[in-house]
Amino acid sequence: MPEMPEVQGLVDFLNGRTTGLEITRVAVASFSALKTYDPPVHALQGAAIRGVTRRGKFLDIDAGTGEAPLHLVFHLAKAGWLRWYDALPATLIRPGKTPIALRVALSDGSGFDLTEAGTKKSLAVYVVRDPAEVPGVARLGPDPLDPGFTLDSFAALLTGRRTQIKGVLRDQATIAGIGNAYSDEILHAARMSPYALAANLSEEDVAHLYRATQETLTDAVAEASGKPPADLKDAKRRGMRVHGRSGQTCPVCGDTVRSVFFADNSLEYCPTCQTGGKPLADRRLSRLLK
Ligand SMILES: [Zn+2]
């Protein structure tokens, strides 16, 4: 799943390539991906792109004018991606027979597809007058890389939360943009158990976690920025120290990275760095042993 750094990479790329161009055609191939009907998709045709911004893990393409605001907002979900073409193919896309959910053609012959792999479809596209009309955008908590996001504001978000810190970091209504991968990385950098309760963290723990969050995301955004969409996923994978690296060696201490499996995903952590050397209970395994 693309998280804040990859989405920021896409935003930077699109800003450089599309600002000032006109949208000449929008073809919807997956009708379930389109979540809005007013304004209609064809309202985008002929609109000039004014800029692209990131809102949490959402991309927001501003194609409106002062009198007629118009935004194409999308969320790539777990298996969605953006495929860029310097010269957009002229082939027609056929609904239901392609991983392409949406194709956008631009006035210089370039364009992009939003694609989604797999059978579980959760990529979401919205055409709105105001990005706040998108429920997922309206609910977003503060952005951790916003200059106003201070240690004090971070501490305030954690106060009284009797929830595992891993879940708090991933909760978009609390902090925007962090998902499963970067929460693993942040907790590893902070040397903190994913199961630690947010409300129980000491002042010092909170300061460590705040710094780890800022550093991990700043580094990842710097790595993603300036890369074309096709290179962003590999760049993300290469930057990971524990996430997706189960069974491999922790680059900090040399212990073996371990996983805990859940219904539809897993988390990774280093026991020596994060849990005092003690492996966390693997719920899948313990269920099998019963
Ligand atoms: Zn380690």
Side-chain angles (χ1 to χ4, degrees):
M1 177 196 267
E3 299 178 27
M4 175 219 272
E6 295 75 51
V7 174
Q8 188 62 48
L10 292 174
V11 162
D12 293 347
F13 177 86
L14 289 177
N15 252 321
R17 295 297 185 100
T18 69
T19 303
L21 296 179
E22 207 171 275
I23 297 172
T24 52
R25 191 165 43 87
V26 179
V28 179
S30 163
F31 294 98
S32 63
L34 183 64
K35 305 300 180 192
T36 53
Y37 58 92
D38 177 28
V41 168
H42 62 74
L44 290 163
Q45 291 173 194
I49 295 177
R50 297 208 292 181
V52 185
T53 50
R54 180 179 62 76
R55 296 168 188 274
K57 293 186 253 180
F58 289 82
L59 283 97
D60 171 11
I61 298 181
D62 181 354
T65 60
E67 313 83 69
L70 192 62
H71 295 256
L72 172 63
V73 178
F74 52 91
H75 189 288
L76 294 167
K78 204 164 177 162
W81 197 242
L82 183 145
R83 190 191 295 153
W84 175 262
Y85 300 92
D86 287 332
L88 193 69
T91 45
L92 291 173
I93 45 173
R94 290 204 275 158
K97 302 221 185 300
T98 162
I100 300 170
L102 188 90
R103 170 167 287 178
V104 175
L106 302 167
S107 48
D108 69 348
S110 67
F112 61 87
D113 289 336
L114 300 184
T115 63
E116 189 170 30
T119 48
K120 191 174 169 283
K121 300 296 184 191
S122 26
L123 185 142
V125 178
Y126 310 79
V127 181
V128 289
R129 294 181 184 87
D130 179 350
E133 290 170 40
V134 177
V137 171
R139 280 200 286 279
L140 286 175
D143 194 284
L145 293 189
D146 188 287
F149 190 80
T150 61
L151 173 57
D152 285 347
S153 52
F154 183 60
L157 295 176
L158 304 183
T159 303
R161 292 286 293 267
R162 303 209 53 80
T163 316
Q164 290 171 348
I165 190 61
K166 167 91 178 166
V168 175
L169 290 176
R170 289 185 62 184
D171 175 17
Q172 300 304 296
T174 304
I175 308 169
I178 302 169
N180 195 31
Y182 287 99
S183 55
D184 278 356
E185 293 302 303
I186 289 166
L187 290 166
H188 179 254
R191 305 178 69 87
M192 193 174 285
S193 168
Y195 291 176
L197 290 186
N200 290 355
L201 298 180
S202 69
E203 217 172 289
E204 200 189 349
D205 289 340
V206 172
H208 273 310
L209 187 60
Y210 174 75
R211 268 200 304 280
T213 303
Q214 301 281 307
E215 285 172 13
T216 302
L217 295 175
T218 302
D219 289 354
V221 166
E223 192 56 38
S225 193
K227 289 205 166 56
D231 294 348
L232 284 170
K233 283 195 222 176
D234 276 347
K236 177 184 180 186
R237 219 170 285 128
R238 277 197 307 273
M240 295 288 143
R241 293 179 164 197
V242 287
H243 185 77
R245 298 186 75 246
S246 186
Q248 299 181 47
T249 304
C250 169
V252 173
C253 73
D255 194 0
T256 302
V257 173
R258 288 177 180 258
S259 292
V260 181
F261 291 90
F262 301 94
D264 58 350
N265 61 9
S266 65
L267 68 80
E268 276 84 44
Y269 69 101
C270 168
T272 296
C273 290
Q274 295 176 256
T275 56
K278 212 175 128 221
L280 297 170
D282 184 329
R283 289 162 187 195
R284 187 184 60 167
L285 199 62
S286 46
R287 196 168 56 237
L288 288 172
L289 290 174
K290 264 177 204 161

